[in-house]
Amino acid sequence: MTIDAAHGAPPGTGAQPPPELVQLLTPEGERIEHPEYDVDLTADEIKSLYRDLVIVRRLDTEALALTRQGELGVWASLLGQEAAQIGSGRALGPGDMAFPSYREHGVAWCRDVDPVKVLGLFRGVNHAGWDPREHNFHLYTIVIGSQTLHATGYAMGIQRDGTEDAAIVYFGDGATSEGDVNEAFVWSAAQNAPIVFFCQNNQWAISEPLERQSRIPLYRRAEGFGFPGIRVDGNDVFAVLAVTKRALDNARSGQGPTLIEAFTYRMGAHTTTDDPTRYRLQAELEAWKLKDPIERVKAYLVKSQMADKEFFAAIDEEAKSIGSDLRKRCLELPDPEATAIWENVYATEHAPLAGERDRFTSYLGSFEEVTR
């Protein structure tokens, strides 16, 4: 079922059912129409989206290089998923709260989180580094799917506060097999919570292909829980923006949750500890490269004569400069105090935790006594 109508044509209308996959920009850069979704963007807005896509890919490349050089402990690349993240991130309103997993670097960019704070987490020098309340962007969550419950609880809270905001929660196709995600579906449906479930279906749950995870398209699972689901071309930033805006508007206006399945592809490894050549074919990767989310926007800008080669060169140069600055600032991040691990765990002092901290401090102090 789509957001506003049951799946298929309305009875008696004789109309054709809408396409299963919402797409507004083809991989070749051709603008197409969809019977239910559209987005009206100026040339400057499209160029701004292109800039976002290029910059977050550059930041991702820089982080990968830092990891290979031993400067980050691990990195979860967003390569190939830029449109899903920028399109949904730019659909958010100032008061909406986003709950990421650990790969939403593009959404963090849209919420004005300094990328060096994200890298600090993977460098092991901070606990995330940003204030979720300042950016309305929650901390990264490593435990698969647990953030869906956090987001559902938050959505129920703002519903009771009477705000006109919504929550959005990001997770992957593998997380849909977790109990936490299904419990979040049950609760959000029962409470009619103002939440958007944004599943980035990148086809692989580490090494487990999608066909071993579900017998039906993931977006259709929502129907069993009593709320709408929709599949969007996750490599089409226009379509993702349009679908996410509609879902958020519906959540804010009291129509409850929506499940968005952004159909995309993880072009890199699951993380830098993974080797995807051991479980997937190169031909599959090559096929998805032809659907690159950045190249299709570039092709559209060129065909429509909205941008010239000077524009693209300037964006490339800006992305390079931002990437170089990120590298420099990452290497300059100071190591934290050893006791920093106990900070910001609870809102107020917690006796057992304080005891652990004090014993650890005493233990460290014993080394100083020996060396005197």
Side-chain angles (χ1 to χ4, degrees), residues 204-220:
W204 290 91
I206 308 182
S207 58
E208 193 78 355
L210 180 63
E211 63 265 22
R212 293 184 186 173
Q213 300 178 61
S214 179
R215 290 189 171 188
I216 61 171
L218 296 178
Y219 77 95
R220 289 179 56 192

Side-chain angles (χ1 to χ4, degrees), residues 325-356:
D325 178 66
L326 176 64
R327 159 177 284 275
K328 178 176 180 293
R329 292 192 295 135
C330 178
L331 297 177
E332 292 173 348
L333 285 171
D335 289 337
E337 295 292 331
T339 54
I341 195 173
W342 282 277
E343 296 175 358
N344 302 313
V345 178
Y346 291 94
T348 58
E349 183 82 351
H350 186 274
L353 200 67
E356 289 182 16

Side-chain angles (χ1 to χ4, degrees), residues 260-334:
I260 296 174
E261 178 191 356
F263 199 77
T264 182
Y265 190 74
R266 192 192 76 213
M267 294 173 69
H270 173 69
T271 71
T272 44
T273 63
D274 172 43
D275 178 7
T277 64
R278 296 174 65 88
Y279 55 79
R280 71 183 186 190
L281 299 174
Q282 182 65 23
E284 179 181 293
L285 174 61
E286 295 302 322
W288 275 92
K289 284 182 178 178
L290 299 176
K291 305 173 184 176
D292 188 284
I294 298 178
E295 290 304 316
R296 69 176 70 185
V297 180
K298 184 175 184 178
Y300 177 69
L301 286 168
V302 171
K303 290 177 182 177
S304 59
Q305 299 183 335
M306 292 183 183
D308 53 23
K309 61 181 181 182
E310 285 76 19
F311 166 78
F312 295 116
I315 294 296
D316 288 343
E317 190 60 33
E318 182 185 11
K320 181 180 178 182
S321 175
I322 292 175
S324 298
D325 178 66
L326 176 64
R327 159 177 284 275
K328 178 176 180 293
R329 292 192 295 135
C330 178
L331 297 177
E332 292 173 348
L333 285 171

Side-chain angles (χ1 to χ4, degrees), residues 81 101-104 144-145 147 170-177 181 198-202 204-205 213 218:
Q81 300 176 218
S101 60
Y102 47 78
R103 200 187 299 278
E104 281 68 50
I144 304 300
Q147 73 276 16
Y170 293 86
F171 51 96
D173 45 286
T176 62
S177 299
V181 175
F198 194 94
C199 175
Q200 292 180 80
N201 175 6
N202 66 19
W204 290 91
Q213 300 178 61
L218 296 178

